[in-house]
Amino acid sequence: QPQLVESGGGLVQAGGSLRLSCAASGSIFSGNTMGWYRQAPGKQREWVAAITSGGFTNYADSVKGRFTISRDNTKNTVYLQMNSLKPEDTAVYYCNRLIGWVSWGQGTQVTVSS
C-alpha cells in the first residue's frame, strides 16, 4: 500500500518559519516529481511547489521567494521550508506526486496567526 506521511506543521506567528517533511514509500517517490499541496478551510486543494527527481523546482506565485522545496532521494523524503509565513498560508499541507496522484496522507496543519 503506497504511503505518504506528512509532519512538521504547527502554530506560528506571521513572519515565522516552519519546515514540513513528507516520507513516501519508494514506489511513490523514486524517479517521480513530487509536489506539496495545501487546502484551506472552505477552499479547494491547491498546488504549492514541485521538485523533479533531479532537483528542478517550481512554485506557485503565492509562495515564490518564501518557500523552498527539497528532497532527499536516499530517504524517500520531500521537504518544504516555509519562511515569512502569512495568515493566508494557513491550511492543511499535503504531499503527493505531481502527476498520477496516489492516496492522500493525513496532511499536516499549518496555522499562522496575525
Side-chain angles (χ1 to χ4, degrees):
Q1 180 82 10
Q3 271 198 315
L4 293 161
V5 180
E6 300 92 348
S7 62
L11 173 63
V12 63
Q13 288 188 331
S17 299
L18 285 172
R19 188 191 193 213
L20 307 184
S21 298
C22 171
S25 59
S27 62
I28 298 173
F29 192 88
S30 299
N32 288 303
T33 298
M34 297 297 295
W36 279 97
Y37 303 79
R38 66 186 182 187
Q39 186 167 18
K43 295 188 177 181
Q44 289 191 330
R45 189 172 293 162
E46 64 174 356
W47 169 76
V48 173
I51 185 167
T52 69
S53 57
F56 290 99
T57 59
N58 197 16
Y59 299 91
D61 288 344
S62 58
V63 306
K64 201 171 292 184
R66 300 188 298 120
F67 290 10
T68 302
I69 188 171
S70 61
R71 64 192 287 163
D72 186 334
N73 291 334
T74 67
K75 296 181 179 179
N76 291 349
T77 300
V78 61
Y79 305 97
L80 187 68
Q81 177 67 44
M82 305 187 297
N83 299 328
S84 302
L85 282 161
K86 304 175 181 180
E88 51 264 43
D89 294 319
T90 294
V92 179
Y93 284 71
Y94 303 86
C95 68
N96 211 316
R97 292 174 179 168
L98 186 65
I99 298 172
W101 293 341
V102 297
S103 296
W104 295 88
Q106 83 288 348
T108 187
Q109 175 71 49
V110 171
T111 304
V112 185
S113 63
S114 57

